């Protein structure tokens, strides 16, 4: 789907940034009450569910409104804003050699970001 507008298209990265910024304020509140493993499970499941719904809607309807796509972008990156810091915080709990684990995690994480364009 082409929006036909530079402004509409340029809103996507802005919404991504704002969503991650807003989520960063709420991460400490949730990590105090919910175990990190559960937060990671919920965020990854939530992102998968949202993207699955978006794909189904796109296949069913065809062309989606720009506002609906904005909603999905905001919700997906709110979940991602929770998942990123929790992923880094959980790493020391599961690694024997923190240096190697951090390097491997960073390389894989950055490779996924490069491929996914996020």
């Amino acid at each position: 789907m082409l929006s036909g507008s530079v402004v509409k298209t340029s809103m996507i990265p802005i919404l991504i940034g704002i969503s991650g910024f807003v989520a960063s304020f709420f991460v400490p509140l949730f990590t105090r009450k919910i175990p990190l493993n559960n937060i990671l499970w919920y965020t990854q499941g939530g992102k998968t569910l949202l993207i699955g719904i978006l794909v189904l809607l796109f296949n069913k309807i065809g062309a989606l409104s720009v506002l609906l796509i904005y909603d999905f972008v905001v919700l997906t990156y709110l979940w991602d804003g929770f998942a990123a810091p929790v992923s880094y915080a959980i790493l020391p709990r599961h690694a024997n050699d923190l240096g190697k684990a951090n390097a491997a995690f960073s390389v894989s994480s950055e490779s996924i970001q490069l491929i996914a364009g996020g």
Side-chain angles (χ1 to χ4, degrees), residues 9-101:
T9 305
S10 64
M11 284 299 295
I12 298 290
I14 293 169
L15 291 172
I16 289 171
I18 291 171
S19 300
F21 182 70
V22 168
S24 69
F25 285 108
F26 293 105
V27 170
L29 299 174
F30 284 93
T31 55
R32 288 183 189 153
K33 298 180 190 241
I34 303 170
L36 295 178
N37 289 338
N38 291 349
I39 292 175
L40 200 56
W41 176 262
Y42 296 144
T43 57
Q44 298 305 317
K47 288 192 310 187
T48 303
L49 184 68
L50 283 172
I51 292 172
I53 291 170
L54 183 63
V55 168
L56 289 174
L57 282 173
F58 188 71
N59 285 334
K60 194 77 143 169
I61 298 172
L64 300 176
S65 73
V66 175
L67 289 177
L68 184 64
I69 292 173
Y70 287 168
D71 291 339
F72 275 95
V73 166
V74 167
L75 290 173
T76 301
Y77 281 93
L78 275 172
W79 283 117
D80 194 52
F82 278 91
V86 170
S87 298
Y88 285 106
I90 208 168
L91 186 63
R93 296 180 183 188
H94 297 288
N96 292 332
D97 185 0
L98 191 56
K100 287 183 182 179

Side-chain angles (χ1 to χ4, degrees), residues 96-118:
N96 292 332
D97 185 0
L98 191 56
K100 287 183 182 179
N102 192 30
F105 184 75
S106 292
V107 167
S108 64
S109 183
E110 292 299 322
S111 297
I112 291 169
Q113 290 293 325
L114 179 66
I115 292 168

